[in-house]
């Protein structure tokens, strides 16, 4: 029997007595029947002592006004060649990364392809599948040398040669009314072999 498990990843912050809200997101309504198709996504979020979803307090990483975000990484010799696409519905930049023979791929983001405007994690190998702390976004600055996110550090990612991942940089509007967007989080999802879009 296959099932989902709360507590496998650090960001779950599982502890005895902790409560979670499990959410099943339906897909589109089928025009011919009026019914929902197969569920599109399932997730869960930790609840506070009052039963409300917990909100993680993080330092805002404000981006300058920009024309593009480049993803640079181990697969392209750290050159700013790959421009990320913008998805307005999800409020994120995204790009496809194919894992090589080492079964690990590391990357950063450069605002407008400028290394002095680098978005990077705090440590040498950030991953939301290893440590929430390690995947915290820093920058944009010149302090990114040796600091990058890495796909494949956790066996649950099932990274192997030829597998493709969609890397996503999520933004949010500033709550202060500033036109500068805020970089909120970085994650990635394994793509189905036959799918053009991630699950």
């Amino acid at each position: 029997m296959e099932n989902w498990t709360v507590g496998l990843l650090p960001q779950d912050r599982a502890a005895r007595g902790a409560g979670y809200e499990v959410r099943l997101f339906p897909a589109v309504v089928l025009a011919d029947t009026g019914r929902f198709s197969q569920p599109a996504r399932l997730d869960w979020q930790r609840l506070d002592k009052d039963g409300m979803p917990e909100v993680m307090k993080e330092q805002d990483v404000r981006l300058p006004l920009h024309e593009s975000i480049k993803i640079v990484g181990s697969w392209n010799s750290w050159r700013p060649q790959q421009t990320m696409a913008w998805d307005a519905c999800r409020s994120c930049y995204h790009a496809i990364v194919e894992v090589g023979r080492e079964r690990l791929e590391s990357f950063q983001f450069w605002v407008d392809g400028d290394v002095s405007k680098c978005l990077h994690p705090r440590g040498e190998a950030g991953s939301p599948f290893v440590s929430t702390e390690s995947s915290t976004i820093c920058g944009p600055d010149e302090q990114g040398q040796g600091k990058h996110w890495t796909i494949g550090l956790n066996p649950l990612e099932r990274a192997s040669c030829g597998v493709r991942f969609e890397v996503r940089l999520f933004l949010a509007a500033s709550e202060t009314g500033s036109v500068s967007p805020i970089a909120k989080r970085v994650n990635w999802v394994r793509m189905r072999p036959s799918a053009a879009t991630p699950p």
Side-chain angles (χ1 to χ4, degrees), residues 47-116:
L47 304 178
D48 62 20
K49 62 181 180 179
D50 298 317
M52 300 298 293
E54 287 188 349
V55 178
M56 297 291 290
K57 298 296 183 180
E58 297 179 354
Q59 182 178 359
D60 286 345
V61 175
R62 196 174 302 279
L63 300 183
L65 294 179
H66 58 277
E67 295 183 357
S68 67
I69 298 291
K70 304 280 189 179
I71 183 170
V72 299
S74 50
W75 64 92
N76 61 13
S77 301
W78 301 94
R79 292 191 296 268
Q81 299 173 328
Q82 188 174 356
T83 301
M84 302 185 77
W86 171 250
D87 186 328
C89 292
R90 295 186 292 169
S91 296
C92 74
Y93 284 101
H94 58 100
I96 302 302
V97 173
E98 184 171 314
V99 176
R101 296 177 182 175
E102 300 297 324
R103 294 181 292 180
L104 294 170
E105 297 293 351
S106 299
F107 62 90
Q108 301 172 331
F109 305 109
W110 293 1
V111 179
D112 287 327
D114 187 345
V115 66
S116 69

Side-chain angles (χ1 to χ4, degrees), residues 8-13 58 105 107 109 121 125-137 148-154 156-157 165-168 170 184-189:
L8 291 179
L9 299 177
Q11 59 263 40
D12 289 342
R13 292 175 293 122
E58 297 179 354
E105 297 293 351
F107 62 90
F109 305 109
S127 170
F129 301 100
V130 174
S131 165
T132 303
E133 179 73 12
S134 75
S135 64
T136 299
I137 303 174
H148 38 70
W149 287 277
T150 300
I151 299 170
L153 292 176
N154 191 319
L156 293 174
E157 298 172 61
F165 287 82
E166 183 190 52
V167 175
R168 305 177 291 192
F170 288 90
K184 296 299 291 184
R185 61 191 172 93
V186 174
N187 68 16
W188 48 89
V189 60

Side-chain angles (χ1 to χ4, degrees), residues 61-64 111 116-120 138-142:
V61 175
R62 196 174 302 279
L63 300 183
V111 179
S116 69
K117 299 177 183 177
C118 175
L119 295 175
H120 55 85
C138 298
D141 55 32
E142 301 177 348

